[in-house]
Amino acid sequence: MSQVLVVGSINMDLVVHVAQFPRLGETLFGQSFATYHGGKGANQAVAAARLGAQVTMIGRVGDDAFGQELIAALADEGINTEWLSQSKNQATGIAAITLAGSDNAIIVVPGANADLSPADLLAAEAAFINADVVLAQLESPMDTIEMAAQLAARHNKPFILNPAPAMPLSTALLEQVSLLTPNEYELATALGLPEADWQASLAAHPGKVLMTAGQDGAYYTNAQGELQQQASYTVTAIDTTGAGDTFNGALAAFWHLGLAEASKMACAAGALSVTQAGAQGGMPTLAQLQAFLAANDAKELV
Ligand code: RIB
């Protein structure tokens, strides 16, 4: 069983369903409202934990009801919450999510996530020592992410960075990343290159960049410099929120299997995740993932 350390955000997702996205200045009636546990960091931690990894998370919530609920939910998933703390002067992070069909538009208010500091990570250095793999995203301050990369390097741990939401990355940070997992837009933003150049970007970083491509699955360049595609799986999408997070959590959980096998598991887990409402609703357990893969492999043989 892998020991996965996740450094990242914890949000309460406030989700409104609408028939169509409102235009600027327009007021629409929504169809329903619900709250779900979210945040890219927490989502990735839950995805890895459901798939059997031993997960520890470093993050921050506010000293409020959302924060207490979110920490309790992570503990219920079997995640080690020893390094989660509550900020006194910030509210728990929230994401205002509008869902139209299976498409979403998201506004994140970081709240206490913005307080997660390099000092918090240094205080939790033991968690880096105990990890097999470290996973982070970009909903935490950049100096904190850079510290995560440094601590992973100091203790010789692979560092997977999901560069979402999209922002440019420093050369120093990129050098410490074992695997970058952007979508096409995030890849261009992270490397400061035109979107159309994604194949060249992957070729320039063999084995170091894996690009997720929605229904086209994922692309990376292997150590021999050959472009590889891991196909996606066909499902009926209910809510695509958290699909990328499920992919990343699964990738970390199965890191020890190598990139080809881990990306296959991650594509299948990501596909299953969209079949239920909420970022974490459809994230599969290991047994559910294995059953799904067995059913799909059987279909391929027919
Ligand atoms: O990736 C999906 C997540 O992004 C949501 O859960 C929301 O909290 C935002 O952080």
Side-chain angles (χ1 to χ4, degrees):
M1 205 183 286
S2 279
Q3 303 270 351
V4 176
L5 173 62
V6 179
V7 176
S9 58
I10 306 167
N11 294 333
M12 188 61 86
D13 290 352
L14 313 177
V15 182
V16 174
H17 282 256
V18 289
Q20 77 225 25
F21 290 106
R23 285 168 297 171
L24 205 60
E26 185 181 21
T27 300
L28 286 178
F29 284 111
Q31 297 165 328
S32 65
F33 169 75
T35 57
Y36 295 102
H37 302 155
K40 293 187 192 301
N43 293 343
Q44 295 182 16
V46 170
R50 289 210 187 142
L51 293 169
Q54 294 272 6
V55 181
T56 295
M57 182 167 183
I58 306 176
R60 276 188 176 269
V61 294
D63 188 7
D64 51 28
F66 279 170
Q68 283 164 19
E69 179 180 331
L70 289 163
I71 290 183
L74 290 169
D76 283 349
E77 296 281 352
I79 293 166
N80 176 4
T81 58
E82 179 184 358
W83 304 109
L84 298 183
S85 43
Q86 290 179 292
S87 289
K88 292 284 168 216
N89 302 319
Q90 290 268 29
T92 296
I94 64 101
I97 301 181
T98 306
L99 268 183
S102 60
D103 292 324
N104 60 43
I106 304 181
I107 298 170
V108 174
V109 181
N113 294 303
D115 279 354
L116 188 68
S117 68
D120 289 332
L121 271 53
L122 283 167
E125 190 162 354
F128 285 81
I129 294 169
N130 292 331
D132 294 319
V133 56
V134 180
L135 174 62
Q137 326 72 34
L138 298 179
E139 283 186 339
S140 307
M142 190 57 90
D143 57 350
T144 303
I145 299 305
E146 287 169 352
M147 178 57 75
Q150 285 167 33
L151 286 170
R154 181 184 297 172
H155 297 293
N156 270 321
K157 308 296 179 173
F159 181 63
I160 304 175
L161 179 60
N162 173 222
M167 51 190 88
L169 302 179
S170 69
T171 310
L173 177 57
L174 282 169
E175 275 168 9
Q176 285 176 320
V177 169
S178 311
L179 185 71
L180 193 70
T181 60
N183 62 25
E184 188 174 347
Y185 173 66
E186 291 157 357
L187 174 64
T189 308
L191 302 183
L193 296 168
E195 261 183 76
D197 275 1
W198 68 265
Q199 294 204 15
S201 300
L202 295 188
H205 301 92
K208 250 194 112 167
V209 180
L210 177 149
M211 189 185 84
T212 55
Q215 289 176 346
D216 287 338
Y219 293 94
Y220 60 95
T221 306
N222 66 14
Q224 290 72 43
E226 298 153 344
L227 185 68
Q228 307 289 303
Q229 180 183 15
Q230 171 56 54
S232 187
Y233 293 83
T234 307
V235 290
T236 303
I238 302 287
D239 181 354
T240 58
T241 313
D245 296 332
T246 309
F247 182 96
N248 279 278
L251 205 57
F254 296 116
W255 180 256
H256 57 284
L257 300 180
L259 199 48
E261 191 61 18
S263 60
K264 176 177 175 165
M265 304 293 251
C267 275
L272 275 171
S273 77
V274 307
T275 59
Q276 289 183 49
Q280 298 171 13
M283 287 176 180
T285 61
L286 184 57
Q288 288 168 335
L289 181 68
Q290 286 168 335
F292 178 74
L293 282 166
N296 274 278
D297 289 347
K299 259 190 242 159
E300 272 172 29
L301 291 175
V302 174

